[in-house]
Amino acid sequence: MKILAIDDEEKILDVIKAYLEKEGYTVLTETNGANALNAFKTVNPDLVILDLMLPGMSGEEICSKIRALSKVPILMLTAKVSEDDKVYGFTIGADDYLTKPFSPRELTMRVKAILRRAKNDLPLNDIFMFNDGDLVIDTRSYEVKKKGRIVNLTPNEYKLLTVMAQNPNKVFTRSELIEKAFGYDFDGFDRTIDAHIKNLRQKIEDDPKNPRYIKTVYGAGYKFGEEND
């Protein structure tokens, strides 16, 4: 499997490359944002490791541009340690987050876990259609459409949506959503779910402030509020 690592510190890239290639991955490295985007389009990697604090084009901008092109899993590296910073990273499309300085062994385990989750995307039965085709989830092509137009979801957003749509009107706690969508080995926290839910509402709801599909159950969690057509 191919991994694209983007960081302006070549010593960090050397460590990432050495540890991951020891595990059998093919690792390509870039220190420049513009070059990294070109490499991404050429290589089509299975995973991107991205430092947020890059000179020139920021990691946030690169993440947004990659996410507009692909659902590839993105692991962010950053020296920013606050919970708000982590939530913001998930908001712009990251799938996981590792704070610098990090252990190369932990990085390796995170990479394996992310790729395992990506490989084991939750299977559903063919096509789920809601409200006369207003929202369509096609699990054969991993596509979601809103009013006939393809919605660009991250892998984690897609997993959350499919878990909830598969169980209409079932109330999920945040912990249950983390477990069922991401697995036991996901090293996230409850606010991660809130960030993904906010993004999903922006993408599939006519009025995100008054959602038709993903509804908040105060004091409990979230539910998918429409019955399957």
Side-chain angles (χ1 to χ4, degrees), residues 94-110:
D95 293 276
D96 205 349
Y97 205 103
L98 193 57
T99 304
K100 291 181 174 180
F102 57 85
S103 158
R105 289 180 62 191
E106 181 181 3
L107 172 73
T108 301
M109 295 304 295
R110 292 285 186 94

Side-chain angles (χ1 to χ4, degrees), residues 6-10 13 30-32 51 53-55 100:
I6 308 164
D7 197 303
D8 62 322
E9 298 183 53
E10 292 192 8
L13 290 177
E30 291 289 349
T31 58
N32 173 278
D51 179 27
M53 302 180 71
L54 293 171
K100 291 181 174 180

Side-chain angles (χ1 to χ4, degrees), residues 122-171:
L122 297 167
L124 297 177
N125 293 323
D126 297 334
I127 297 177
F128 282 63
M129 185 178 296
F130 303 92
N131 293 300
D132 297 321
D134 176 72
L135 180 68
V136 178
I137 304 171
D138 187 340
T139 61
R140 299 167 303 181
S141 60
Y142 290 84
E143 286 185 346
V144 175
K145 293 183 179 180
K146 171 69 175 178
K147 300 186 185 302
R149 302 184 67 177
I150 292 177
V151 180
N152 187 22
L153 300 182
T154 70
N156 282 351
E157 289 166 0
Y158 176 82
K159 291 172 188 175
L160 277 175
L161 179 61
T162 52
V163 164
M164 298 177 73
Q166 190 180 21
N167 299 276
N169 292 313
K170 173 179 170 55
V171 178

Side-chain angles (χ1 to χ4, degrees), residues 76-87:
M76 283 193 170
L77 305 178
T78 183
K80 298 178 181 179
V81 296
S82 77
E83 186 174 288
D84 286 340
D85 288 325
K86 292 182 179 181
V87 169

